[in-house]
Amino acid sequence: MKPYLTNSSSFYLKKCFMILFISTTMATPLLPLEILPLEGRLSFEEISHAARDFGNRYQFHPLAVLHPKSVPDIAKTIKHVWKMGQSSDLTVAARGCGHSLQGQSQAHQGIVIDMGSIRVHHPIQVVRNGGVQPYVDVSGGELWINILHETLKHGLTPKSWTDYLHLSVGGTLSNAGVSGQAFRHGPQISNVHQLQVVTGKGEVVNCSKNQNAELFHSVLGGLGQFGIITRARISLEPAPNKVKWIRVLYSDFDTFVREQEQLIAAKETFDYIEGFVIINRTGLLNNWRTSFNPQDPVQASQFSSDGKTLYCLEMAKYFNHEEADLAEQETKLLLSQLSYISSTLFIAEVSYIDFLDRVHVSEIKLRSKGLWEVPHPWLNLLIPKSSIHRFAGQVFGNILKDTSNGPILIYPVNKSRRDNRTSVVIPEEDIFYLVAFLSSAVPSSTGSDGLDHILSQNKRILDFCESGRLGVKQYLPHYSTQEEWKEHFGPRWEIFKQRKSTYDPLAILAPGHRIFQKSIPFS
């Protein structure tokens, strides 16, 4: 018996057939996020860690956390969000160690990519390159401390560092990566040969100075706005064994900065040079004795700071065991040209790895006391040489004259060591100073060590820089409005915006910086 079909049921079957035909001849429709074909996994429940960072002030909970096993996992996820278009509010942030300060590695109701997950599946590769300059290939989620350990096995080391090594490669290269070696080798972004990047369209692109050069320079110091660094090729040099680690004090700021500039300009000089401001710290030299030996113990024991603001010059000379005598002679010669307070010369001799990983020792101590995971309202500034004396007079002599809530770094850097094609914004002068206020706030305190007081001090410092027209730029910048970002970038804003429209036109990436909004990315 033949089936009986009404006109309406016949029409329904034809319609179903047409839908099936169209769906098989068109591109595959978007799958739900939950069932993307990934080697790794998307987690929708274990996400609370991705809503915190080292700054410990902002908590923006994501919708999901991606734990990738491969670069294609990252590319597929971003391409999925890209194809959803502006009808979706989903954004994507890469998170290395979560060491950002103000939510930059977070994505409110978006997707956070755990870059530490991918490094497990991509081993560090050291290449000697047949007599040509050696390099190391690493995952963007790899930690600098792991790179150091691996390259030292080959007698090699990266040239430029940050003071703290338990940070990801992608994180520091997205900012700049500076430390006391930057005057000689430039920041970390000046020592990169090649990158692999996943753009805001989900495209995987290899880039260098000679291949896809605009993307290469955009991503370096680009605050994660143009692509996620999934692999980097970093320059290496022969590694030393030992370090002479030296600290001296100055009471006169003019002498302190003049001799720092003298040292970074000299052909024969130290391998690392940084400075510190020390405000109202008693017993300072006694604290140093735990790690350093005073050159003159009797004089050192008689030294008194008298509540003065002092300036510490910290230097390091690298050498190998067989060069110990030569390193001693060179160190003495360099120190003889300086005008520090003679009784405050302290010297330690340590291994190269112990010197570079010195901040981690402090971290362990602070963690043991429950003082590591507190708010860190840090303020990092780049100050032109021509403004440094005015800045110091007002900030160290007035705003912070009584106390500070953490280390204050101050040291000069050469502009000539930087590539102005990268996205990093720096002052226009040949020499500028990094001044970093690395404050820690005591939770629930309403006094001078509380968060509100430190934020108020930071605002006073920024207001003075603006009103005094000092030409200051923020390092690790953070602003609330696009107008403030435009002012930060100045004449480079249009280039930055054009690069964004090329590589991340929907403003999917790094929403925590609050530079672009996904719905209106280029207003």
Side-chain angles (χ1 to χ4, degrees), residues 289-309:
R289 289 173 189 268
T290 59
S291 303
F292 293 83
N293 296 315
Q295 187 76 4
D296 189 326
V298 175
Q299 283 196 45
S301 65
Q302 296 173 351
F303 174 79
S304 174
S305 65
D306 296 325
K308 296 176 183 176
T309 296

Side-chain angles (χ1 to χ4, degrees), residues 390 394 460-471 487:
R390 275 199 297 155
Q394 176 65 11
R460 289 178 64 192
I461 293 169
L462 290 171
D463 287 347
F464 169 69
C465 293
E466 184 176 358
S467 63
R469 300 181 182 275
L470 301 189
E487 186 175 344

Side-chain angles (χ1 to χ4, degrees), residues 217-233:
H217 292 115
S218 299
V219 169
L220 293 173
L223 306 175
Q225 294 298 307
F226 312 108
I228 293 175
I229 297 171
T230 50
R231 201 144 189 91
R233 178 171 292 180

Side-chain angles (χ1 to χ4, degrees), residues 125-136 151-156 236 238:
Q125 298 178 358
V126 177
V127 180
R128 288 192 175 274
N129 208 20
V132 185
Q133 188 179 55
Y135 61 83
V136 59
T151 57
L152 285 179
K153 294 176 184 176
H154 301 263
L156 299 168
L236 300 176

Side-chain angles (χ1 to χ4, degrees), residues 153-402:
K153 294 176 184 176
H154 301 263
L156 299 168
T157 176
K159 302 173 184 177
S160 192
W161 297 96
T162 55
D163 289 327
Y164 181 64
L165 303 189
H166 296 251
L167 304 172
S168 70
V169 168
T172 66
L173 296 184
S174 294
N175 287 283
V178 294
S179 184
Q181 304 89 358
F183 77 93
R184 169 166 282 176
H185 297 293
Q188 290 180 317
I189 59 172
S190 295
N191 296 277
V192 178
H193 294 314
Q194 186 177 338
L195 296 172
Q196 183 189 67
V197 175
V198 179
T199 71
K201 301 176 184 178
E203 299 168 337
V204 182
V205 183
N206 291 321
C207 55
S208 66
K209 290 180 180 179
N210 302 315
Q211 177 188 15
N212 300 309
E214 184 182 55
L215 178 60
F216 179 74
H217 292 115
S218 299
V219 169
L220 293 173
L223 306 175
Q225 294 298 307
F226 312 108
I228 293 175
I229 297 171
T230 50
R231 201 144 189 91
R233 178 171 292 180
I234 299 160
S235 178
L236 300 176
E237 66 178 0
N241 305 123
K242 303 286 285 183
V243 175
K244 282 191 176 296
W245 185 7
I246 303 156
R247 285 179 178 171
V248 296
L249 289 179
Y250 292 76
S251 59
D252 179 67
F253 183 77
D254 291 353
T255 306
F256 170 69
V257 296
R258 183 178 67 250
E259 295 195 344
Q260 280 198 88
E261 293 170 14
Q262 170 187 315
L263 286 171
I264 70 165
K267 186 175 181 180
E268 299 296 330
T269 189
F270 292 100
D271 298 289
Y272 158 99
I273 298 167
E274 285 192 3
F276 302 85
V277 182
I278 300 166
I279 298 174
N280 199 20
R281 289 274 302 278
T282 59
L284 176 69
L285 299 191
N286 286 331
N287 292 337
W288 286 2
R289 289 173 189 268
T290 59
S291 303
F292 293 83
N293 296 315
Q295 187 76 4
D296 189 326
V298 175
Q299 283 196 45
S301 65
Q302 296 173 351
F303 174 79
S304 174
S305 65
D306 296 325
K308 296 176 183 176
T309 296
L310 297 171
Y311 308 95
C312 173
L313 180 55
E314 184 174 58
M315 302 154 286
K317 187 73 175 176
Y318 304 159
F319 63 99
N320 291 311
H321 294 293
E322 61 273 16
E323 303 166 334
D325 291 341
L326 178 60
E328 179 73 19
Q329 294 172 18
E330 291 176 343
T331 298
K332 286 183 177 179
L333 178 60
L334 289 167
L335 289 173
S336 70
Q337 300 166 14
L338 303 179
S339 305
Y340 54 87
I341 301 170
S342 60
S343 61
T344 65
L345 173 58
F346 279 65
I347 299 179
E349 192 168 297
V350 298
S351 71
Y352 180 64
I353 194 167
D354 284 346
F355 172 72
L356 290 180
D357 200 28
R358 61 197 180 278
V359 177
H360 187 52
V361 176
S362 299
E363 176 192 352
I364 293 171
K365 291 179 181 178
L366 290 170
R367 283 190 184 277
S368 69
K369 298 176 182 178
L371 298 176
W372 183 256
E373 294 183 355
V374 299
H376 295 98
W378 287 8
L379 178 64
N380 297 269
L381 304 176
L382 304 176
I383 302 174
K385 173 184 173 180
S386 63
S387 299
I388 195 64
H389 290 86
R390 275 199 297 155
F391 179 88
Q394 176 65 11
V395 175
F396 307 141
N398 185 9
I399 298 175
L400 299 178
K401 66 180 180 180
D402 296 322

Side-chain angles (χ1 to χ4, degrees), residues 4-68:
Y4 179 74
L5 295 177
T6 64
N7 288 337
S8 59
S9 60
S10 176
F11 173 77
Y12 175 76
L13 287 174
K14 288 180 181 178
K15 183 177 179 181
C16 290
F17 175 79
M18 289 300 296
I19 291 173
L20 178 63
F21 175 78
I22 292 171
S23 66
T24 56
T25 56
M26 293 178 65
T28 304
L30 283 174
L31 294 168
L33 188 62
E34 292 84 347
I35 58 172
L36 276 178
L38 303 172
E39 294 179 69
R41 63 187 177 88
L42 271 165
S43 173
F44 294 86
E45 295 179 355
E46 300 171 3
I47 60 174
S48 59
H49 70 283
R52 298 187 65 182
D53 58 24
F54 180 70
N56 209 10
R57 292 174 53 208
Y58 297 89
Q59 291 194 31
F60 301 110
H61 287 265
L63 174 70
V65 174
L66 172 65
H67 301 274

